[in-house]
């Protein structure tokens, strides 16, 4: 997937070059809106603290090698058709799972016959939170050599701030931020990241 900068999109819009004729503002405006949504999703991911950016497969494997099963991180994908990859420690060692981004939505990469049944999300953090919560109560033991993939604990790039840890703890106990007896500024901080991961 290729995204163009806002400047190049505005230039294409004014010249009609993008769609072959002047006045083709609607498709260009839609592409601008998608670029803004992606930028917001990436900023939210950076705020999470477990996005490692440009990291190789070998580096991710090294970081996760001694971590407990279910420890994960998100990094830039080394595959040109994908934006991001989840690297996670399984019982068989670290493995990788690509994240697809299409039509403004994120979902896990999968074989074609299953792909349409996978949930799609507006943000990577929401996708990760969904699968972490889904894995939370699983206690199954793999049998017949099957390796189960669990997302339990993020591997932070650095120790998260006390404020961020408190925000996550509050999110785990309530989703009614507006109802809390807190100053407005603090409520705004809590709303910047309303996830449990």
């Amino acid at each position: 997937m290729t995204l163009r900068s806002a400047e190049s999109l505005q230039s294409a819009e004014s010249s009609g070059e993008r769609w072959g004729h002047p006045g083709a503002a609607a498709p260009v405006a839609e592409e601008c809106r998608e670029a803004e949504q992606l930028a917001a999703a990436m900023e939210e991911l950076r705020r999470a603290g477990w996005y490692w950016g440009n990291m190789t497969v070998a580096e991710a494997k090294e970081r996760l090698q001694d971590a407990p099963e279910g420890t994960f991180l998100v990094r830039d994908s080394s595959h040109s058709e994908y934006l991001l990859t989840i690297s996670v420690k399984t019982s068989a060692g670290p493995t990788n799972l690509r994240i697809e981004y299409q039509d403004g939505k994120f979902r896990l990469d999968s074989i074609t016959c299953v792909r349409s049944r996978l949930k799609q999300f507006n943000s990577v953090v929401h996708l990760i939170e969904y699968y972490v919560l889904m894995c939370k109560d699983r206690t199954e033991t793999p049998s017949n050599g099957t390796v189960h993939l669990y997302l339990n604990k993020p591997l932070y790039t650095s120790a998260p701030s006390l404020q961020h840890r408190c925000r996550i703890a509050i999110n785990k106990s309530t989703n009614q931020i507006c109802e809390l007896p807190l100053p407005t500024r603090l409520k705004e901080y809590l709303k910047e990241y309303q996830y449990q991961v």
Side-chain angles (χ1 to χ4, degrees):
M1 184 197 77
T2 305
L3 291 175
R4 297 167 69 172
S5 68
E7 294 82 18
S8 68
L9 289 170
Q10 288 169 350
S11 170
E13 180 179 338
S14 62
S15 68
E17 162 258 310
R18 171 82 168 93
W19 300 100
H21 63 283
V28 174
E30 180 62 33
E31 196 167 327
C32 274
R33 191 168 26 262
E34 186 175 327
E36 289 170 1
Q37 288 173 340
L38 178 59
M42 292 305 292
E43 180 55 37
E44 183 178 70
L45 179 58
R46 284 182 197 89
R47 199 177 297 129
W50 30 264
Y51 169 60
W52 288 73
N54 189 10
M55 173 186 265
T56 67
V57 174
E59 289 170 331
K61 184 176 180 177
E62 186 179 330
R63 290 277 180 186
L64 293 167
Q65 193 61 50
D66 297 324
E69 185 178 350
T71 303
F72 66 90
L73 60 86
V74 176
R75 61 182 176 81
D76 294 340
S77 180
S78 54
H79 192 288
S80 61
E81 292 183 23
Y82 299 89
L83 285 174
L84 302 164
T85 296
I86 303 169
S87 294
V88 60
K89 176 70 176 287
T90 68
S91 59
T95 192
N96 301 288
L97 185 60
R98 294 182 183 123
I99 299 175
E100 284 187 347
Y101 178 74
Q102 188 174 23
D103 301 325
K105 301 285 186 184
F106 297 92
R107 71 176 166 201
L108 296 180
D109 181 33
S110 183
I111 57 174
T112 306
C113 62
V114 176
R115 190 171 293 145
S116 64
R117 294 192 308 239
L118 291 175
K119 278 186 70 91
Q120 297 182 63
F121 302 89
N122 291 326
S123 83
V124 181
V125 181
H126 191 194
L127 178 149
I128 296 291
E129 178 187 53
Y130 174 81
Y131 288 105
V132 166
L133 294 176
M134 199 168 109
C135 296
K136 190 175 181 181
D137 299 322
R138 297 225 174 152
T139 55
E140 302 170 15
T141 305
S143 59
N144 301 332
T146 304
V147 175
H148 288 204
L149 192 139
Y150 298 109
L151 299 179
N152 294 331
K153 180 184 174 194
L155 182 64
Y156 289 96
T157 57
S158 61
S161 68
L162 180 58
Q163 292 92 337
H164 186 66
R165 285 186 182 271
C166 289
R167 175 164 56 185
I168 291 170
I170 290 169
N171 291 337
K172 286 180 179 179
S173 61
T174 184
N175 59 2
Q176 302 294 322
I177 302 296
C178 293
E179 306 299 319
L180 296 174
L182 298 170
T184 303
R185 188 171 165 202
L186 189 50
K187 288 180 185 179
E188 288 170 3
Y189 175 76
L190 294 173
K191 289 179 187 177
E192 285 176 9
Y193 187 88
Q194 296 187 54
Y195 301 101
Q196 298 181 32
V197 179

